Amino acid sequence: MRRSMTACSVLAALAVAAPVCAQQQQAKEKDPTSAVTAAPLPDGWSMRLDDKDMTKAAKFITMGSGFHITSGGAAVYWQPKDEQKDDFTASANFRQTTKNIGHGDLGEAYGLFVGGRDLSDAAKQTYLYFEVRQGGQFLIDHRAGPEVHKIVDWTPAASIHKFDDSPNTNELAIKVAADSVRFLVNGVQVQALSRQQLTNLSGNVGIRVNHNLDVHVAGFAVKPGGK
């Protein structure tokens, strides 16, 4: 896994630092985190906002047989009692209800995470996450404390339904087995990684939704068997 090197503090040592940081600041100004009124979480669920959004809020509520997330701030959602080891499948169906305009047609991302440990501690938190976005790309990253390690950068996949497609729902699954971790969108494998790369994925399983999204989540489940 290689460490993300996008922070302005790192780029400051380079000749290109000024224009790159200016571009990042402009992007932030064009896509400020929306103000959202928080609501009580469903019974048994916990939430952690990304550090950059700790002064913001997000709303995660039960709706019908699923959940609805209105994300001011980017966050992860999980049930602390639901811890997993090897050989399981996490899955959920996601429907983005409004188009995200902060990044043009690409949009912000939503998805699943596994291997969540120390999620309430900013310095120790760790998890692997798999997300898609409205432009039809997927991402796989690993968070370790304040650092994000890029595993698979944004990659197009034909199986991802874009926002303007019909349907615009996406069924995501992470299959954790003894020898591999497989990532599927709408039943189609988009990536597989060896367990030599991902040695410890024990811990909590849950949902991750980036900022400024309105997403309905149905059928969230964790079941035995990672093949």
Side-chain angles (χ1 to χ4, degrees):
M1 304 177 189
R2 62 185 177 87
R3 184 175 300 174
S4 173
M5 299 294 288
T6 58
C8 290
S9 59
V10 176
L11 290 171
L14 304 176
V16 296
V20 171
C21 289
Q23 290 170 7
Q24 292 178 343
Q25 182 62 31
Q26 289 172 5
K28 183 177 180 180
E29 291 171 355
K30 291 180 180 178
D31 191 26
T33 298
S34 300
V36 169
T37 301
L41 291 168
D43 289 345
W45 283 84
S46 293
M47 176 184 79
R48 177 180 170 77
L49 289 157
D50 284 4
D51 289 349
K52 65 180 177 58
D53 287 335
M54 278 297 181
T55 61
K56 306 296 182 178
K59 183 166 69 173
F60 177 71
I61 60 173
T62 301
M63 183 175 289
S65 59
F67 305 100
H68 199 89
I69 300 168
T70 306
S71 69
V76 290
Y77 308 87
W78 75 98
Q79 295 176 293
K81 67 177 183 179
D82 184 19
E83 293 190 3
Q84 302 295 322
K85 294 185 178 180
D86 289 340
D87 199 29
F88 67 90
T89 296
S91 61
N93 182 280
F94 297 84
R95 178 172 59 86
Q96 185 177 335
T97 60
T98 59
K99 195 166 188 175
N100 178 267
I101 60 174
H103 299 277
D105 289 335
L106 295 177
E108 281 292 350
Y110 54 83
L112 299 167
F113 76 85
V114 297
R117 299 186 299 279
D118 297 311
L119 294 174
S120 297
D121 188 328
K124 296 181 180 179
Q125 64 175 330
T126 179
Y127 58 91
L128 175 81
Y129 57 103
F130 171 45
E131 296 182 311
V132 300
R133 61 186 182 185
Q134 68 190 25
Q137 300 88 22
F138 73 92
L139 170 83
I140 303 170
D141 275 354
H142 176 257
R143 179 179 290 278
E147 299 177 350
V148 175
H149 305 121
K150 192 69 63 182
I151 298 177
V152 178
D153 207 347
W154 289 113
T155 303
S159 63
I160 300 173
H161 297 152
K162 300 179 182 180
F163 181 83
D164 293 323
D165 290 344
S166 182
N168 73 339
T169 58
N170 283 298
E171 181 90 19
L172 272 61
I174 304 176
K175 292 181 172 290
V176 179
D179 59 346
S180 65
V181 183
R182 298 191 294 130
F183 303 85
L184 292 81
V185 182
N186 297 318
V188 177
Q189 180 175 299
V190 296
Q191 186 71 43
L193 300 171
S194 168
R195 288 305 301 273
Q196 292 180 349
Q197 296 172 266
L198 305 169
T199 55
N200 186 1
L201 292 180
S202 61
N204 292 117
V205 176
I207 298 162
R208 177 175 170 83
V209 176
N210 288 5
H211 82 154
N212 294 349
L213 283 173
D214 199 73
V215 178
H216 189 75
V217 184
F220 173 76
V222 184
K223 298 180 180 179
K227 290 291 188 180

